[in-house]
Amino acid sequence: MNGQDSLVQPLLTDFYQITMCYAYWKTGTHNEPAVFDVFFRKNPFQGEFCVFAGLEDCLRFVENFRFSQSDIDYIKKILPENAETSFFEYLETLDGSRLTIEAVREGSVVFPKVPLITIEGPLAMCQLLETSILNLVNFSSLVATNAARFRQAAGSKLQLLEFGLRRAQGPNGGLTASKYCYIGGFNATSNVLAGKLYGIPVKGTQAHSFICSFTSPNELKIRGLNHKTTNEPADLFELSIAKRSWILEQFPWGVISSEVSDGELTAFVAYAIAFPDTFLALIDTYDVLRSGVVNFVAVSLALHDLGYRSMGCRIDSGDLSYLSKELRNVFIKVAGLKTEFNFFETMPIVASNDINEETIMSLNEQQHEINAFGVGTHLVTCQKQPALGCVYKLVAQSSQPKIKLSQDVKKITIPGKKKCYRIYGKNGYAILDLMMLENEPEPKPNEQILCRHPFEESKRALVNASKIERLHNVYWKDGELTAALPTLNEIKEHVNDSINRTLRQDHKRYLNPTPYKVSVSERLYEFLHAFWLQNAPIGQLE
Amino acid sequence: MNGQDSLVQPLLTDFYQITMCYAYWKTGTHNEPAVFDVFFRKNPFQGEFCVFAGLEDCLRFVENFRFSQSDIDYIKKILPENAETSFFEYLETLDGSRLTIEAVREGSVVFPKVPLITIEGPLAMCQLLETSILNLVNFSSLVATNAARFRQAAGSKLQLLEFGLRRAQGPNGGLTASKYCYIGGFNATSNVLAGKLYGIPVKGTQAHSFICSFTSPNELKIRGLNHKTTNEPADLFELSIAKRSWILEQFPWGVISSEVSDGELTAFVAYAIAFPDTFLALIDTYDVLRSGVVNFVAVSLALHDLGYRSMGCRIDSGDLSYLSKELRNVFIKVAGLKTEFNFFETMPIVASNDINEETIMSLNEQQHEINAFGVGTHLVTCQKQPALGCVYKLVAQSSQPKIKLSQDVKKITIPGKKKCYRIYGKNGYAILDLMMLENEPEPKPNEQILCRHPFEESKRALVNASKIERLHNVYWKDGELTAALPTLNEIKEHVNDSINRTLRQDHKRYLNPTPYKVSVSERLYEFLHAFWLQNAPIGQLE
């Protein structure tokens, strides 16, 4: 089940798709065979790669494409009154059965200009899909790329947790973000619905309001916790108080007892009684080093006495690098007190609070001691660039190539249906992507291939490929899915492979990454430029 | 029907709400009466106001709040195995029946620190609502505020059209944006589903792909259009060609016929045949001034001959100010050719392409001739600030006030349940918002009221109010809605009133707007500061 099913329907589109559909139909071109390419022009986040996501959502959309009667009634209301009634009968017949959809495998790294998806079918039907497909690909790919960039910054060992639901752009903004952050490289989400719908691991501990809700020990109605193995009853609160006194005597904490909040200790005890095996405490409500960590160590030692082990602590404010290092020092000291406290040395520290790619890199430089990041706003809203500019362009109609001209060369489309390849070098990394005319012979490994920049005449290179991969597969034909769709975890694995095994480090680095080359064959270059000149009008200056 | 119903459900929450709920339940505090405030700390977009939106969505969420059996089965899976089974029976009983919800009227301008919504009820139940309510308020309010700012920049006369679906953050990001941009001050949306679900006017014309799909007149299978009143048949293409020749002779256009695209003319004719009464053409596919406008005038004059009137043209690239002024010059010249062409003088010009608040202001300075803006990415993703930081804080429990302390004064919460008022001055504009203790006597007009800055001791003022408005109404009590909810158009009207009739201009200006004052009564000030000191631990420095 897909959580956004109810919204992804034919009317989730721009009105002009419907007016254009009517105009195509009215003037008789609606059934002309057409080819549309979905691609973007610029990698997001000032980077040099993008992760392609949202393909399954697009295919499910096409699979379920049917105007309902109430949709058609609504369209009747918004089209001019004199619209012909047989148009509405035509709309009723529309579905995905005459479409063929090729696409890059979901989760692949992708680059500007190369079609992510190519849709062939009757002109008007293809046109109707534009907005929904762009909506489904743009944000999914953007947020997956963002997550992959956070993963690059954090390295492979740290846990990355997505905590963005409350700041996401609506319920579905949150759900989409949780799903595609997971495939992009996050380990888990706080979003329970995403866990239920997609099987993503969910994680969460407690909020400041939980800590604030306990002011004094009197508010604790239950204090007992049985020993994990002997089952012997104990008073966890009393035990924690005793541990706190003991630990404060062991080494110079520099805190006086009036600074250590009893309300906080009470809240920790309440949480530990509920979750003795998975105790993880938020320790920054009062003061991390003068209250939170003292209470956390106290309750952790009490739990240890009763056969349980704490899972860690979370800080959500302050200087995360400094605090994590101070916490690690405390934990190492505690570990040094008794052999059985050894586990304290590696006590997990979770950090949250306005984390972005740059924060993680800065924390890395400061050699932080954080084990997991909880990331919200910057991740799910893609603060640095909140939209990917995928476009959906007509490239052929009735077997004739079509070109969208523009005075801005970057905006010119590459006409015609194309075959696309990824060319790999000896070291196993991808060298460039190559687009060719549909009827050209396939390029072969270990033969010289002339690759040209699509617009800059002098940029040419001969490439000797050690491996060549065709980029597109047919996913939909004759009204059905023609390829098995990967699971979410398979896509996640593919993202990881695609970024780490096929993409060279210099394309991924944060500062001034090397652009990955996207090229065309000699024949496509010649065709593109001849066709461009043929279509561009000749002006007159004086 | 609300399009996001299927997603807005109790599991659309952070997992820690459920773990905290379990801990409250396990330690017996789950039914303690609690009060939570929803508020934000900083106005968005470097401005000094925010539009409150999303209230109805929150109330519908509470109205429908019930864990389903499959939700509970899923929660069982993600909580530790030893979680007590009677907790799940407790979850089954939970609904909104024991909650009381007060809120500011939806669509009002609101300011930092003042509660937008106050939720009272059993501690654990209130806690469970946090994430969903923040998700529903944060983006709705943000995008409504963004739309209101675009409206301020554009002035009241221009049409503002929301075209953002393809770049929105997922299907619901798009739908939420369409709905709340409308209430914020937009006239219409391109999003058909938003039109169907919420009754918002939908608008749209044609895309570049429509223009590109016609290369030559031969592709036009139908050319006929009957006269609107006489019903006499005509060939619209031939007529348009004739009009084009005629118009090119009338005044120096500076274009040669090879520059004027026949494909574009063909596309315009096709569209005009389909929509003779609502013809609006996209004129920048080839060259606005050397092709698009010539073809547009030709088809418009042909339609005029047949009794129809064009609705305008759209430009989606280039220097929008320059082009709009050049277009207006052409239209004025055409209007001057014959009295019956007078309508050309005011021919609507729609502009789109990366429009933001600053673009509109810059275009205003250049005295553009645009009549309507189509706005996408910047509007719906709120590029300038993609998240509003509303928080949900515990302010009282078991009739005792609660405070969230922080070393950052801006993050300290104002404890206890509060009464909030908006104080108006003689000129009818709002002067400040005032928060008071719940049991204080109501402030009265025409009496001196001492208003204090909540944290800065020396900032005090005596205010003589000419009108005082209580900010909160009770919307939900004893399991039902207690106030009629306004329609979308009523909310839209209220946004307009609230911004234009109650908010002084200096709070709204783009550059260095004056902050609107949010104050507390003398008694709340005294209480807040005494309570703060009472709860803050005393540290020791040496």
Side-chain angles (χ1 to χ4, degrees):
Chain A
M1 187 206 150
N2 183 316
Q4 56 195 32
D5 267 358
S6 66
L7 291 182
V8 185
Q9 44 175 284
L11 287 197
L12 188 79
T13 190
D14 290 311
F15 183 46
Y16 76 2
Q17 310 294 2
I18 293 170
T19 60
M20 286 190 277
C21 179
Y22 181 72
Y24 288 135
W25 174 86
K26 174 81 185 172
T27 57
T29 60
H30 57 298
N31 276 330
E32 288 188 6
V35 185
F36 284 81
D37 281 347
V38 175
F39 62 96
F40 60 91
R41 296 188 180 111
K42 198 172 176 317
N43 285 302
F45 312 118
Q46 289 143 38
E48 289 296 347
F49 71 95
C50 180
V51 172
F52 169 50
L55 176 61
E56 178 172 356
D57 292 341
C58 292
L59 294 167
R60 299 289 176 209
F61 167 63
V62 168
E63 191 174 29
N64 298 316
F65 190 99
R66 269 281 183 190
F67 286 105
S68 71
Q69 193 53 54
S70 84
D71 291 345
I72 290 178
D73 292 344
Y74 180 68
I75 295 172
K76 277 184 195 164
K77 275 202 271 182
I78 57 176
L79 280 183
E81 269 181 31
N82 53 7
E84 291 180 40
T85 48
S86 40
F87 174 66
F88 302 105
E89 291 157 21
Y90 161 71
L91 285 186
E92 276 176 34
T93 68
L94 289 180
D95 61 24
S97 59
R98 294 171 66 193
L99 300 172
T100 301
I101 301 179
E102 291 184 16
V104 173
R105 181 172 164 194
E106 183 159 7
S108 302
V109 287
V110 288
F111 305 97
K113 301 188 203 80
V114 179
L116 309 177
I117 308 179
T118 296
I119 297 184
E120 291 181 77
L123 177 62
M125 179 64 205
C126 291
Q127 185 75 65
L128 283 174
L129 303 177
E130 175 176 10
T131 308
S132 324
I133 286 193
L134 291 178
N135 179 284
L136 293 172
V137 171
N138 268 329
F139 183 56
S140 303
S141 299
L142 184 76
V143 79
T145 307
N146 203 22
R149 294 180 63 91
F150 274 78
R151 172 53 74 197
Q152 287 294 307
S156 59
K157 285 175 194 158
L158 265 78
Q159 290 269 312
L160 289 176
L161 314 171
E162 177 267 309
F163 286 173
L165 180 58
R166 67 189 58 198
R167 302 287 165 82
Q169 301 206 336
N172 189 276
L175 204 58
T176 310
S178 299
K179 180 175 175 180
Y180 292 100
C181 286
Y182 180 65
I183 77 154
F186 271 58
N187 299 89
T189 178
S190 66
N191 182 341
V192 186
L193 191 59
K196 184 184 177 194
L197 294 176
Y198 308 128
I200 300 171
V202 294
K203 284 278 164 70
T205 56
Q206 75 249 143
H208 292 117
S209 56
F210 185 85
I211 310 296
C212 293
S213 95
F214 295 88
T215 313
S216 89
N218 306 331
E219 292 161 5
L220 202 61
K221 295 180 187 164
I222 289 177
R223 294 167 165 219
L225 179 68
N226 295 354
H227 190 283
K228 187 172 179 177
T229 48
T230 68
N231 231 14
E232 211 170 310
D235 181 323
L236 186 67
F237 186 79
E238 289 308 324
L239 193 55
S240 299
I241 286 281
K243 293 292 176 192
R244 189 167 80 178
S245 301
W246 180 77
I247 193 75
L248 281 173
E249 286 161 12
Q250 298 308 306
F251 50 86
W253 293 72
V255 295
I256 53 173
S257 59
S258 70
E259 289 181 291
V260 189
S261 165
D262 284 343
E264 185 178 48
L265 183 75
T266 311
F268 288 179
V269 168
Y271 201 79
I273 287 171
F275 298 102
D277 266 328
T278 55
F279 178 64
L280 198 157
L282 176 63
I283 62 172
D284 71 340
T285 305
Y286 299 97
D287 186 312
V288 173
L289 299 175
R290 308 178 82 78
S291 179
V293 67
V294 183
N295 285 323
F296 171 68
V297 170
V299 175
S300 296
L301 293 179
L303 282 172
H304 177 70
D305 260 16
L306 301 179
Y308 303 96
R309 182 168 294 181
S310 288
M311 283 184 61
C313 60
R314 175 162 78 97
I315 46 180
D316 187 40
S317 57
D319 181 329
L320 300 177
S321 164
Y322 167 75
L323 289 175
S324 72
K325 286 187 278 189
E326 289 294 306
L327 288 172
R328 186 63 66 211
N329 284 341
V330 170
F331 296 154
I332 288 170
K333 278 186 192 161
V334 174
L337 292 174
K338 287 190 186 179
T339 320
E340 57 182 311
F341 296 167
N342 268 348
F343 67 93
F344 250 99
E345 250 183 58
T346 53
M347 181 65 77
I349 300 169
V350 183
S352 49
N353 191 27
D354 252 4
I355 306 276
N356 61 25
E357 226 183 309
E358 291 77 12
T359 325
I360 295 177
M361 290 189 300
S362 159
L363 287 167
N364 288 345
E365 274 175 24
Q366 297 166 73
Q367 300 183 294
H368 69 80
E369 285 286 342
I370 296 161
N371 304 92
F373 288 109
V375 194
T377 316
H378 293 280
L379 175 67
V380 302
T381 65
C382 299
Q383 195 127 17
K384 204 194 277 180
Q385 180 183 324
L388 178 67
C390 270
V391 294
Y392 184 95
K393 294 290 175 192
L394 179 69
V395 294
Q397 184 178 332
S398 299
S399 306
Q400 295 303 307
K402 292 279 182 178
I403 189 167
K404 157 77 175 77
L405 298 175
S406 172
Q407 277 149 323
D408 182 355
V409 170
K410 283 195 300 290
K411 287 194 166 188
I412 289 174
T413 60
I414 299 178
K417 199 180 167 204
K418 295 163 286 283
K419 292 196 290 201
C420 303
Y421 298 90
R422 184 155 293 171
I423 309 291
Y424 292 82
K426 288 190 206 80
N427 55 14
Y429 290 113
I431 302 173
L432 52 76
D433 284 2
L434 174 66
M435 290 182 269
M436 308 181 84
L437 291 173
E438 202 187 5
N439 55 5
E440 281 190 74
E442 294 226 343
K444 292 204 176 65
N446 307 313
E447 286 180 9
Q448 296 278 41
I449 307 163
L450 178 58
C451 300
R452 299 196 65 164
H453 187 288
F455 299 105
E456 293 180 40
E457 204 175 2
S458 64
K459 288 193 177 171
R460 300 173 297 174
L462 286 165
V463 179
N464 206 327
S466 63
K467 191 180 100 185
I468 296 178
E469 179 187 44
R470 180 138 192 187
L471 273 175
H472 295 102
N473 297 305
V474 178
Y475 282 95
W476 176 268
K477 199 171 181 178
D478 301 326
E480 53 185 34
L481 289 167
T482 50
L485 296 181
T487 64
L488 207 62
N489 280 315
E490 287 165 352
I491 298 172
K492 182 181 174 69
E493 191 57 38
H494 182 56
V495 171
N496 188 43
D497 273 6
S498 194
I499 290 179
N500 292 315
R501 297 202 194 159
T502 75
L503 198 58
R504 259 188 358 242
Q505 186 54 37
D506 59 316
H507 300 306
K508 293 181 282 192
R509 70 177 171 229
Y510 180 78
L511 200 66
N512 299 329
T514 311
Y516 178 88
K517 289 186 178 60
V518 170
S519 60
V520 295
S521 65
E522 179 69 12
R523 283 182 55 196
L524 178 50
Y525 181 91
E526 296 297 344
F527 166 71
L528 160 64
H529 289 262
F531 194 67
W532 182 4
L533 284 182
Q534 181 188 327
N535 281 271
I538 300 174
Q540 179 166 344
L541 286 178
E542 288 292 332
Chain B
M1 187 207 148
N2 183 317
Q4 55 197 31
D5 267 359
S6 67
L7 291 183
V8 185
Q9 43 175 284
L11 287 197
L12 189 79
T13 190
D14 290 311
F15 183 45
Y16 76 2
Q17 311 293 2
I18 293 170
T19 59
M20 285 190 279
C21 179
Y22 181 73
Y24 289 135
W25 175 85
K26 174 80 184 172
T27 55
T29 60
H30 57 298
N31 276 330
E32 287 188 7
V35 184
F36 284 80
D37 280 348
V38 175
F39 62 96
F40 60 90
R41 297 188 180 111
K42 198 171 176 317
N43 284 302
F45 312 120
Q46 289 143 41
E48 290 296 348
F49 71 96
C50 179
V51 172
F52 170 51
L55 176 61
E56 179 172 355
D57 293 341
C58 292
L59 295 168
R60 298 291 176 208
F61 168 62
V62 168
E63 192 174 30
N64 298 317
F65 191 99
R66 268 283 184 188
F67 286 106
S68 71
Q69 193 53 52
S70 84
D71 291 345
I72 288 178
D73 292 344
Y74 180 68
I75 294 172
K76 277 183 194 164
K77 275 202 271 183
I78 57 176
L79 279 183
E81 269 182 31
N82 54 6
E84 289 179 42
T85 49
S86 40
F87 174 66
F88 302 104
E89 290 158 21
Y90 161 71
L91 285 185
E92 277 177 33
T93 67
L94 289 181
D95 62 24
S97 59
R98 294 171 67 193
L99 301 172
T100 301
I101 302 179
E102 293 184 16
V104 173
R105 182 172 163 193
E106 184 159 6
S108 302
V109 288
V110 288
F111 305 96
K113 302 188 203 81
V114 180
L116 309 176
I117 308 179
T118 295
I119 298 185
E120 291 180 76
L123 177 62
M125 179 64 205
C126 290
Q127 184 76 64
L128 283 173
L129 303 177
E130 175 175 9
T131 308
S132 324
I133 286 193
L134 291 179
N135 178 284
L136 294 171
V137 170
N138 268 329
F139 184 55
S140 304
S141 299
L142 185 76
V143 79
T145 307
N146 204 21
R149 293 180 63 90
F150 274 79
R151 173 53 75 198
Q152 287 295 306
S156 58
K157 285 176 193 156
L158 264 78
Q159 289 269 312
L160 289 176
L161 314 171
E162 177 269 309
F163 286 173
L165 181 57
R166 67 189 57 197
R167 302 287 165 83
Q169 301 207 335
N172 188 277
L175 203 59
T176 309
S178 300
K179 179 175 175 182
Y180 292 101
C181 287
Y182 180 64
I183 76 154
F186 272 57
N187 299 90
T189 179
S190 65
N191 182 341
V192 186
L193 190 59
K196 183 183 179 197
L197 294 177
Y198 308 127
I200 301 171
V202 294
K203 284 278 164 71
T205 55
Q206 76 249 143
H208 292 116
S209 55
F210 185 85
I211 310 297
C212 294
S213 94
F214 296 88
T215 314
S216 90
N218 306 332
E219 292 161 4
L220 202 60
K221 296 180 185 164
I222 291 177
R223 293 166 166 222
L225 179 67
N226 294 355
H227 190 284
K228 186 171 180 178
T229 47
T230 68
N231 231 11
E232 212 170 307
D235 181 322
L236 187 66
F237 186 80
E238 289 307 325
L239 194 54
S240 299
I241 286 282
K243 292 292 176 191
R244 191 167 78 178
S245 304
W246 180 77
I247 194 75
L248 279 173
E249 286 161 12
Q250 297 309 306
F251 50 86
W253 293 73
V255 295
I256 55 175
S257 60
S258 69
E259 289 182 289
V260 189
S261 165
D262 283 345
E264 186 178 47
L265 184 76
T266 311
F268 288 178
V269 168
Y271 201 79
I273 288 171
F275 299 101
D277 266 326
T278 54
F279 177 65
L280 197 157
L282 176 64
I283 61 172
D284 71 341
T285 305
Y286 300 97
D287 187 314
V288 173
L289 300 175
R290 306 177 83 79
S291 179
V293 67
V294 183
N295 285 323
F296 170 68
V297 170
V299 176
S300 297
L301 293 179
L303 283 172
H304 177 70
D305 260 18
L306 301 178
Y308 303 96
R309 181 168 295 181
S310 286
M311 283 185 59
C313 59
R314 175 162 79 97
I315 44 178
D316 186 41
S317 58
D319 181 330
L320 301 177
S321 163
Y322 168 76
L323 289 174
S324 72
K325 286 185 280 189
E326 290 294 307
L327 288 172
R328 186 65 64 212
N329 284 341
V330 170
F331 296 154
I332 288 169
K333 279 187 189 156
V334 173
L337 292 174
K338 286 189 184 180
T339 320
E340 56 181 311
F341 297 168
N342 267 349
F343 67 94
F344 250 99
E345 249 183 60
T346 53
M347 181 64 77
I349 300 170
V350 183
S352 49
N353 191 27
D354 251 4
I355 306 275
N356 61 24
E357 224 184 311
E358 291 77 13
T359 327
I360 295 177
M361 289 188 301
S362 158
L363 288 166
N364 288 346
E365 273 174 25
Q366 297 166 74
Q367 300 183 296
H368 68 82
E369 285 286 344
I370 296 161
N371 304 93
F373 288 109
V375 194
T377 316
H378 292 282
L379 175 67
V380 302
T381 65
C382 298
Q383 195 126 17
K384 203 194 276 181
Q385 179 183 327
L388 178 65
C390 271
V391 293
Y392 184 94
K393 294 290 175 191
L394 179 69
V395 295
Q397 185 178 329
S398 299
S399 307
Q400 296 302 308
K402 293 278 181 179
I403 189 167
K404 158 81 174 75
L405 298 176
S406 172
Q407 277 148 325
D408 182 356
V409 170
K410 284 196 299 291
K411 287 195 164 185
I412 289 176
T413 60
I414 299 178
K417 198 177 169 208
K418 295 161 285 284
K419 291 195 291 200
C420 304
Y421 298 90
R422 185 155 291 173
I423 309 291
Y424 292 83
K426 287 190 207 80
N427 55 14
Y429 289 113
I431 302 174
L432 54 76
D433 283 3
L434 174 65
M435 290 181 269
M436 308 179 85
L437 291 173
E438 202 188 4
N439 55 6
E440 283 190 74
E442 294 225 344
K444 292 202 177 65
N446 307 313
E447 286 180 8
Q448 297 278 38
I449 306 163
L450 178 59
C451 300
R452 300 196 64 164
H453 187 290
F455 298 105
E456 292 180 40
E457 202 175 2
S458 65
K459 289 193 174 169
R460 299 173 298 175
L462 285 165
V463 178
N464 207 327
S466 63
K467 189 180 99 183
I468 296 178
E469 178 186 42
R470 179 137 192 188
L471 273 175
H472 295 101
N473 298 306
V474 178
Y475 281 95
W476 176 268
K477 199 171 181 180
D478 300 328
E480 54 185 34
L481 289 166
T482 50
L485 297 182
T487 65
L488 207 63
N489 281 314
E490 286 165 351
I491 298 172
K492 183 181 174 68
E493 190 58 38
H494 182 56
V495 171
N496 187 44
D497 273 5
S498 194
I499 290 179
N500 292 314
R501 297 202 194 159
T502 76
L503 199 58
R504 264 191 351 245
Q505 187 54 37
D506 58 316
H507 300 306
K508 292 181 281 192
R509 69 178 172 229
Y510 180 78
L511 200 64
N512 299 330
T514 311
Y516 178 88
K517 288 187 180 58
V518 170
S519 60
V520 294
S521 66
E522 177 71 11
R523 282 181 56 196
L524 179 51
Y525 182 90
E526 296 297 344
F527 166 71
L528 160 64
H529 288 263
F531 193 68
W532 181 4
L533 284 182
Q534 182 189 327
N535 281 270
I538 300 173
Q540 180 168 343
L541 287 178
E542 289 290 332

